[in-house]
Amino acid sequence: MVRKHEDGLGDEALRQATGRGREEWRAHLLETGAREWDHARIARHLVEVEGVDGWWAQGITVDFEQAHQGRLPGQQKDGTFSVSVTRTLPAARLEALDAVTTAVTARHGEPHSANRAARYPVVRWRLDDGTRLSATAQPEKATGTPVSLTRERLPGHPEMEGAREEIVALLEEVAHRVG
């Protein structure tokens, strides 16, 4: 099941990072007239006027849009949908990314791009149905490397669950192989 942004945005963490909780940000943005603003304007306001870090500004913006502008969970600003799942794999960063790349390539063919030297190494595929899939390796933790698989440009909300199920299956397959 695809979750609302608020389900993954901890109110206490938000308050510690920004000085306000979810409901306080929603109320403040309503007072400033943000219901009529687009995504970029809301995020820019949060960064430039309110002094919020860009990462938190994006989260606050998506939460506000879902609560007050009708944005559906997983919906991007262009109207398409995306779904992402992260799994920590018991391997070094590039080894974990390579294992995921092998599994995705076996199912979807060769990637169209890769940047293994990036701050967050990434491999990307353009799929035959017009969607995109990317694998991104996060910084290593004591338990391994979190790797995110993201499917983008899905045409509607109904397609998200099937895409999520495929991503979970791919990550499970890799976890059994490297674990």
Short mmCIF file of all heavy atoms in Angstrom, two decimals, residues 87-139:
data_model
loop_
_atom_site.label_atom_id
_atom_site.label_comp_id
_atom_site.label_asym_id
_atom_site.label_seq_id
_atom_site.Cartn_x
_atom_site.Cartn_y
_atom_site.Cartn_z
N ARG A 87 16.06 -0.89 0.90
CA ARG A 87 16.42 -2.11 1.65
C ARG A 87 17.90 -2.03 1.99
O ARG A 87 18.71 -1.71 1.13
CB ARG A 87 16.12 -3.34 0.79
CG ARG A 87 16.55 -4.66 1.37
CD ARG A 87 15.50 -5.17 2.35
NE ARG A 87 15.95 -6.34 3.04
CZ ARG A 87 15.49 -7.58 2.84
NH1 ARG A 87 14.54 -7.78 1.95
NH2 ARG A 87 15.94 -8.58 3.52
N THR A 88 18.25 -2.31 3.23
CA THR A 88 19.65 -2.34 3.61
C THR A 88 20.21 -3.73 3.30
O THR A 88 19.68 -4.73 3.77
CB THR A 88 19.82 -2.01 5.11
OG1 THR A 88 19.32 -0.69 5.33
CG2 THR A 88 21.29 -2.06 5.52
N LEU A 89 21.27 -3.73 2.49
CA LEU A 89 21.90 -4.98 2.07
C LEU A 89 23.23 -5.14 2.80
O LEU A 89 23.99 -4.18 2.92
CB LEU A 89 22.12 -4.97 0.56
CG LEU A 89 20.84 -4.80 -0.26
CD1 LEU A 89 21.19 -4.61 -1.73
CD2 LEU A 89 19.92 -5.99 -0.07
N PRO A 90 23.53 -6.36 3.26
CA PRO A 90 24.77 -6.58 4.02
C PRO A 90 25.99 -6.65 3.09
O PRO A 90 26.57 -7.71 2.87
CB PRO A 90 24.51 -7.92 4.71
CG PRO A 90 23.58 -8.64 3.78
CD PRO A 90 22.72 -7.57 3.17
N ALA A 91 26.34 -5.49 2.54
CA ALA A 91 27.46 -5.43 1.60
C ALA A 91 28.00 -4.01 1.58
O ALA A 91 27.33 -3.06 1.99
CB ALA A 91 26.99 -5.83 0.20
N ALA A 92 29.23 -3.87 1.06
CA ALA A 92 29.81 -2.55 0.86
C ALA A 92 28.99 -1.80 -0.19
O ALA A 92 28.23 -2.41 -0.96
CB ALA A 92 31.25 -2.68 0.40
N ARG A 93 29.12 -0.50 -0.22
CA ARG A 93 28.27 0.37 -1.03
C ARG A 93 28.20 -0.04 -2.50
O ARG A 93 27.11 -0.28 -3.04
CB ARG A 93 28.76 1.80 -0.89
CG ARG A 93 27.77 2.83 -1.34
CD ARG A 93 28.28 4.20 -1.00
NE ARG A 93 27.23 5.16 -1.12
CZ ARG A 93 27.44 6.46 -1.10
NH1 ARG A 93 28.65 6.93 -0.95
NH2 ARG A 93 26.43 7.29 -1.23
N LEU A 94 29.31 -0.08 -3.19
CA LEU A 94 29.28 -0.40 -4.62
C LEU A 94 28.96 -1.86 -4.88
O LEU A 94 28.32 -2.20 -5.89
CB LEU A 94 30.59 0.02 -5.29
CG LEU A 94 30.82 1.53 -5.34
CD1 LEU A 94 32.17 1.85 -5.98
CD2 LEU A 94 29.69 2.26 -6.07
N GLU A 95 29.34 -2.73 -3.96
CA GLU A 95 28.98 -4.15 -4.08
C GLU A 95 27.45 -4.31 -4.00
O GLU A 95 26.86 -5.08 -4.77
CB GLU A 95 29.67 -4.94 -2.97
CG GLU A 95 29.39 -6.42 -2.99
CD GLU A 95 30.01 -7.14 -1.80
OE1 GLU A 95 31.06 -6.69 -1.31
OE2 GLU A 95 29.43 -8.14 -1.36
N ALA A 96 26.83 -3.60 -3.09
CA ALA A 96 25.37 -3.66 -2.96
C ALA A 96 24.70 -3.11 -4.21
O ALA A 96 23.75 -3.71 -4.74
CB ALA A 96 24.92 -2.87 -1.73
N LEU A 97 25.20 -1.99 -4.72
CA LEU A 97 24.63 -1.41 -5.94
C LEU A 97 24.82 -2.36 -7.12
O LEU A 97 23.90 -2.54 -7.92
CB LEU A 97 25.28 -0.06 -6.24
CG LEU A 97 24.74 0.69 -7.47
CD1 LEU A 97 23.26 1.01 -7.30
CD2 LEU A 97 25.55 1.96 -7.70
N ASP A 98 25.97 -2.99 -7.23
CA ASP A 98 26.22 -3.95 -8.31
C ASP A 98 25.27 -5.14 -8.24
O ASP A 98 24.78 -5.62 -9.27
CB ASP A 98 27.66 -4.43 -8.29
CG ASP A 98 28.66 -3.36 -8.72
OD1 ASP A 98 28.23 -2.35 -9.32
OD2 ASP A 98 29.86 -3.54 -8.44
N ALA A 99 24.99 -5.62 -7.04
CA ALA A 99 24.07 -6.75 -6.88
C ALA A 99 22.67 -6.38 -7.34
O ALA A 99 22.00 -7.15 -8.03
CB ALA A 99 24.06 -7.22 -5.43
N VAL A 100 22.21 -5.19 -6.99
CA VAL A 100 20.89 -4.72 -7.44
C VAL A 100 20.90 -4.51 -8.95
O VAL A 100 19.95 -4.89 -9.65
CB VAL A 100 20.47 -3.44 -6.68
CG1 VAL A 100 19.21 -2.85 -7.28
CG2 VAL A 100 20.27 -3.75 -5.20
N THR A 101 21.97 -3.93 -9.47
CA THR A 101 22.08 -3.70 -10.91
C THR A 101 21.98 -5.01 -11.68
O THR A 101 21.28 -5.09 -12.70
CB THR A 101 23.41 -2.98 -11.24
OG1 THR A 101 23.43 -1.72 -10.56
CG2 THR A 101 23.57 -2.77 -12.73
N THR A 102 22.63 -6.05 -11.19
CA THR A 102 22.58 -7.36 -11.85
C THR A 102 21.15 -7.89 -11.90
O THR A 102 20.68 -8.37 -12.94
CB THR A 102 23.51 -8.36 -11.13
OG1 THR A 102 24.85 -7.87 -11.23
CG2 THR A 102 23.42 -9.75 -11.72
N ALA A 103 20.42 -7.78 -10.79
CA ALA A 103 19.04 -8.29 -10.73
C ALA A 103 18.12 -7.49 -11.65
O ALA A 103 17.29 -8.07 -12.37
CB ALA A 103 18.53 -8.25 -9.29
N VAL A 104 18.24 -6.17 -11.64
CA VAL A 104 17.38 -5.34 -12.49
C VAL A 104 17.71 -5.56 -13.96
O VAL A 104 16.81 -5.68 -14.80
CB VAL A 104 17.48 -3.85 -12.11
CG1 VAL A 104 16.69 -3.00 -13.09
CG2 VAL A 104 16.99 -3.62 -10.69
N THR A 105 18.99 -5.66 -14.29
CA THR A 105 19.41 -5.87 -15.67
C THR A 105 18.88 -7.20 -16.21
O THR A 105 18.44 -7.29 -17.36
CB THR A 105 20.94 -5.79 -15.78
OG1 THR A 105 21.36 -4.47 -15.39
CG2 THR A 105 21.42 -6.06 -17.20
N ALA A 106 18.87 -8.23 -15.37
CA ALA A 106 18.34 -9.53 -15.79
C ALA A 106 16.86 -9.44 -16.15
O ALA A 106 16.39 -10.14 -17.05
CB ALA A 106 18.55 -10.56 -14.67
N ARG A 107 16.15 -8.54 -15.50
CA ARG A 107 14.72 -8.41 -15.75
C ARG A 107 14.39 -7.36 -16.81
O ARG A 107 13.44 -7.52 -17.57
CB ARG A 107 14.02 -8.05 -14.44
CG ARG A 107 12.50 -8.12 -14.54
CD ARG A 107 11.84 -7.96 -13.21
NE ARG A 107 12.10 -9.14 -12.37
CZ ARG A 107 11.54 -9.35 -11.20
NH1 ARG A 107 10.67 -8.48 -10.72
NH2 ARG A 107 11.83 -10.41 -10.48
N HIS A 108 15.16 -6.28 -16.87
CA HIS A 108 14.79 -5.14 -17.72
C HIS A 108 15.83 -4.76 -18.77
O HIS A 108 15.65 -3.78 -19.49
CB HIS A 108 14.49 -3.91 -16.86
CG HIS A 108 13.26 -4.06 -16.04
ND1 HIS A 108 11.99 -4.09 -16.57
CD2 HIS A 108 13.10 -4.22 -14.70
CE1 HIS A 108 11.10 -4.23 -15.62
NE2 HIS A 108 11.74 -4.32 -14.47
N GLY A 109 16.94 -5.46 -18.85
CA GLY A 109 17.96 -5.14 -19.84
C GLY A 109 18.99 -4.16 -19.29
O GLY A 109 18.94 -3.75 -18.13
N GLU A 110 19.92 -3.81 -20.15
CA GLU A 110 21.03 -2.95 -19.75
C GLU A 110 20.55 -1.56 -19.32
O GLU A 110 19.62 -1.01 -19.92
CB GLU A 110 22.02 -2.81 -20.91
CG GLU A 110 22.76 -4.10 -21.22
CD GLU A 110 23.63 -4.59 -20.07
OE1 GLU A 110 24.30 -3.76 -19.43
OE2 GLU A 110 23.64 -5.82 -19.82
N PRO A 111 21.22 -0.98 -18.34
CA PRO A 111 20.87 0.39 -17.92
C PRO A 111 21.25 1.39 -19.00
O PRO A 111 22.11 1.12 -19.84
CB PRO A 111 21.70 0.60 -16.65
CG PRO A 111 22.78 -0.41 -16.70
CD PRO A 111 22.30 -1.55 -17.54
N HIS A 112 20.60 2.55 -18.98
CA HIS A 112 20.95 3.59 -19.96
C HIS A 112 21.99 4.55 -19.40
O HIS A 112 22.64 5.26 -20.15
CB HIS A 112 19.71 4.34 -20.46
CG HIS A 112 19.22 5.41 -19.56
ND1 HIS A 112 18.35 5.17 -18.52
CD2 HIS A 112 19.48 6.74 -19.52
CE1 HIS A 112 18.10 6.29 -17.89
NE2 HIS A 112 18.77 7.26 -18.47
N SER A 113 22.17 4.56 -18.07
CA SER A 113 23.21 5.41 -17.49
C SER A 113 23.58 4.91 -16.11
O SER A 113 22.80 4.22 -15.45
CB SER A 113 22.77 6.88 -17.42
OG SER A 113 21.76 7.05 -16.46
N ALA A 114 24.80 5.28 -15.70
CA ALA A 114 25.27 4.94 -14.36
C ALA A 114 26.29 5.98 -13.95
O ALA A 114 27.06 6.48 -14.77
CB ALA A 114 25.90 3.56 -14.34
N ASN A 115 26.27 6.33 -12.66
CA ASN A 115 27.29 7.21 -12.11
C ASN A 115 27.71 6.62 -10.76
O ASN A 115 27.12 6.92 -9.73
CB ASN A 115 26.76 8.63 -11.95
CG ASN A 115 27.84 9.59 -11.53
OD1 ASN A 115 28.92 9.18 -11.09
ND2 ASN A 115 27.56 10.87 -11.64
N ARG A 116 28.72 5.80 -10.82
CA ARG A 116 29.22 5.11 -9.62
C ARG A 116 30.08 6.03 -8.75
O ARG A 116 30.34 5.72 -7.60
CB ARG A 116 29.99 3.87 -10.01
CG ARG A 116 29.12 2.81 -10.65
CD ARG A 116 29.93 1.68 -11.28
NE ARG A 116 30.95 1.13 -10.43
CZ ARG A 116 30.78 0.13 -9.56
NH1 ARG A 116 29.60 -0.42 -9.44
NH2 ARG A 116 31.79 -0.30 -8.83
N ALA A 117 30.52 7.16 -9.30
CA ALA A 117 31.39 8.08 -8.55
C ALA A 117 30.60 9.21 -7.89
O ALA A 117 31.19 10.03 -7.19
CB ALA A 117 32.44 8.67 -9.49
N ALA A 118 29.30 9.25 -8.09
CA ALA A 118 28.48 10.31 -7.51
C ALA A 118 28.44 10.20 -5.99
O ALA A 118 28.75 9.15 -5.41
CB ALA A 118 27.05 10.24 -8.05
N ARG A 119 28.04 11.28 -5.36
CA ARG A 119 27.88 11.26 -3.90
C ARG A 119 26.96 10.12 -3.49
O ARG A 119 27.17 9.44 -2.48
CB ARG A 119 27.34 12.60 -3.44
CG ARG A 119 27.17 12.69 -1.95
CD ARG A 119 26.75 14.08 -1.54
NE ARG A 119 26.55 14.13 -0.12
CZ ARG A 119 25.81 15.03 0.48
NH1 ARG A 119 25.23 15.97 -0.22
NH2 ARG A 119 25.67 15.00 1.78
N TYR A 120 25.90 9.93 -4.27
CA TYR A 120 24.98 8.81 -4.11
C TYR A 120 25.02 8.03 -5.42
O TYR A 120 24.29 8.37 -6.35
CB TYR A 120 23.55 9.29 -3.79
CG TYR A 120 23.46 9.98 -2.46
CD1 TYR A 120 23.51 11.37 -2.36
CD2 TYR A 120 23.34 9.24 -1.29
CE1 TYR A 120 23.45 12.00 -1.14
CE2 TYR A 120 23.28 9.87 -0.05
CZ TYR A 120 23.33 11.24 0.01
OH TYR A 120 23.27 11.87 1.23
N PRO A 121 25.88 7.00 -5.51
CA PRO A 121 26.00 6.26 -6.76
C PRO A 121 24.64 5.77 -7.25
O PRO A 121 23.82 5.28 -6.46
CB PRO A 121 26.91 5.09 -6.38
CG PRO A 121 27.69 5.58 -5.20
CD PRO A 121 26.74 6.48 -4.46
N VAL A 122 24.42 5.89 -8.57
CA VAL A 122 23.11 5.60 -9.14
C VAL A 122 23.25 4.90 -10.49
O VAL A 122 24.19 5.17 -11.24
CB VAL A 122 22.27 6.89 -9.27
CG1 VAL A 122 22.93 7.88 -10.23
CG2 VAL A 122 20.85 6.60 -9.69
N VAL A 123 22.30 4.01 -10.77
CA VAL A 123 22.17 3.35 -12.06
C VAL A 123 20.72 3.54 -12.50
O VAL A 123 19.80 3.40 -11.69
CB VAL A 123 22.52 1.84 -11.97
CG1 VAL A 123 22.39 1.18 -13.33
CG2 VAL A 123 23.94 1.66 -11.41
N ARG A 124 20.52 3.86 -13.80
CA ARG A 124 19.17 4.17 -14.29
C ARG A 124 18.81 3.33 -15.53
O ARG A 124 19.66 3.10 -16.39
CB ARG A 124 19.08 5.65 -14.65
CG ARG A 124 19.24 6.57 -13.48
CD ARG A 124 19.05 8.03 -13.93
NE ARG A 124 19.16 8.92 -12.80
CZ ARG A 124 20.28 9.53 -12.43
NH1 ARG A 124 21.39 9.35 -13.12
NH2 ARG A 124 20.30 10.32 -11.38
N TRP A 125 17.54 2.97 -15.60
CA TRP A 125 16.99 2.25 -16.74
C TRP A 125 15.79 3.00 -17.29
O TRP A 125 14.98 3.52 -16.52
CB TRP A 125 16.51 0.85 -16.33
CG TRP A 125 17.57 -0.09 -15.93
CD1 TRP A 125 18.14 -1.06 -16.70
CD2 TRP A 125 18.18 -0.20 -14.65
NE1 TRP A 125 19.08 -1.74 -15.97
CE2 TRP A 125 19.12 -1.23 -14.71
CE3 TRP A 125 18.05 0.51 -13.45
CZ2 TRP A 125 19.91 -1.61 -13.62
CZ3 TRP A 125 18.83 0.15 -12.37
CH2 TRP A 125 19.75 -0.89 -12.46
N ARG A 126 15.65 3.02 -18.61
CA ARG A 126 14.42 3.48 -19.27
C ARG A 126 13.69 2.21 -19.69
O ARG A 126 14.21 1.42 -20.48
CB ARG A 126 14.76 4.33 -20.49
CG ARG A 126 15.34 5.65 -20.15
CD ARG A 126 15.53 6.50 -21.41
NE ARG A 126 16.12 7.77 -21.05
CZ ARG A 126 17.18 8.30 -21.63
NH1 ARG A 126 17.76 7.68 -22.65
NH2 ARG A 126 17.65 9.45 -21.23
N LEU A 127 12.50 2.04 -19.19
CA LEU A 127 11.76 0.81 -19.46
C LEU A 127 10.87 0.96 -20.69
O LEU A 127 10.52 2.08 -21.09
CB LEU A 127 10.94 0.41 -18.23
CG LEU A 127 11.77 0.28 -16.93
CD1 LEU A 127 10.89 -0.25 -15.81
CD2 LEU A 127 12.97 -0.62 -17.12
N ASP A 128 10.51 -0.17 -21.29
CA ASP A 128 9.74 -0.17 -22.53
C ASP A 128 8.38 0.51 -22.40
O ASP A 128 7.83 0.98 -23.39
CB ASP A 128 9.54 -1.60 -23.03
CG ASP A 128 10.84 -2.24 -23.50
OD1 ASP A 128 11.79 -1.48 -23.82
OD2 ASP A 128 10.91 -3.48 -23.55
N ASP A 129 7.82 0.54 -21.20
CA ASP A 129 6.49 1.14 -21.01
C ASP A 129 6.54 2.65 -20.79
O ASP A 129 5.54 3.28 -20.48
CB ASP A 129 5.76 0.46 -19.85
CG ASP A 129 6.45 0.65 -18.50
OD1 ASP A 129 7.51 1.31 -18.44
OD2 ASP A 129 5.91 0.14 -17.50
N GLY A 130 7.73 3.25 -20.95
CA GLY A 130 7.88 4.69 -20.78
C GLY A 130 8.22 5.13 -19.37
O GLY A 130 8.44 6.32 -19.12
N THR A 131 8.26 4.19 -18.43
CA THR A 131 8.63 4.53 -17.06
C THR A 131 10.14 4.44 -16.91
O THR A 131 10.84 4.00 -17.82
CB THR A 131 7.94 3.61 -16.03
OG1 THR A 131 8.40 2.28 -16.22
CG2 THR A 131 6.42 3.68 -16.17
N ARG A 132 10.62 4.87 -15.78
CA ARG A 132 12.05 4.81 -15.48
C ARG A 132 12.25 4.12 -14.14
O ARG A 132 11.41 4.19 -13.26
CB ARG A 132 12.64 6.21 -15.43
CG ARG A 132 12.59 6.86 -16.80
CD ARG A 132 13.37 8.11 -16.85
NE ARG A 132 13.32 8.65 -18.21
CZ ARG A 132 13.91 9.75 -18.58
NH1 ARG A 132 14.60 10.46 -17.70
NH2 ARG A 132 13.84 10.17 -19.81
N LEU A 133 13.39 3.48 -14.02
CA LEU A 133 13.75 2.79 -12.79
C LEU A 133 15.17 3.20 -12.44
O LEU A 133 16.03 3.29 -13.32
CB LEU A 133 13.67 1.27 -13.01
CG LEU A 133 13.91 0.37 -11.81
CD1 LEU A 133 12.87 0.57 -10.72
CD2 LEU A 133 13.90 -1.10 -12.25
N SER A 134 15.40 3.49 -11.17
CA SER A 134 16.75 3.85 -10.75
C SER A 134 17.09 3.13 -9.45
O SER A 134 16.23 2.88 -8.61
CB SER A 134 16.90 5.36 -10.56
OG SER A 134 16.05 5.82 -9.54
N ALA A 135 18.37 2.80 -9.32
CA ALA A 135 18.91 2.20 -8.10
C ALA A 135 19.94 3.17 -7.55
O ALA A 135 20.85 3.58 -8.28
CB ALA A 135 19.55 0.85 -8.41
N THR A 136 19.79 3.53 -6.29
CA THR A 136 20.69 4.50 -5.65
C THR A 136 21.24 3.91 -4.36
O THR A 136 20.47 3.43 -3.52
CB THR A 136 19.95 5.81 -5.34
OG1 THR A 136 19.31 6.28 -6.53
CG2 THR A 136 20.89 6.87 -4.80
N ALA A 137 22.56 3.97 -4.21
CA ALA A 137 23.21 3.46 -2.99
C ALA A 137 23.43 4.62 -2.02
O ALA A 137 24.03 5.63 -2.37
CB ALA A 137 24.53 2.80 -3.33
N GLN A 138 22.92 4.47 -0.82
CA GLN A 138 23.09 5.45 0.25
C GLN A 138 24.42 5.20 0.94
O GLN A 138 25.05 4.18 0.73
CB GLN A 138 21.94 5.34 1.25
CG GLN A 138 20.56 5.37 0.63
CD GLN A 138 20.26 6.66 -0.09
OE1 GLN A 138 20.61 7.74 0.37
NE2 GLN A 138 19.60 6.57 -1.24
N PRO A 139 24.86 6.08 1.82
CA PRO A 139 26.09 5.82 2.59
C PRO A 139 25.95 4.56 3.45
O PRO A 139 24.87 4.27 3.96
CB PRO A 139 26.22 7.07 3.47
CG PRO A 139 25.50 8.13 2.71
CD PRO A 139 24.34 7.44 2.06
#
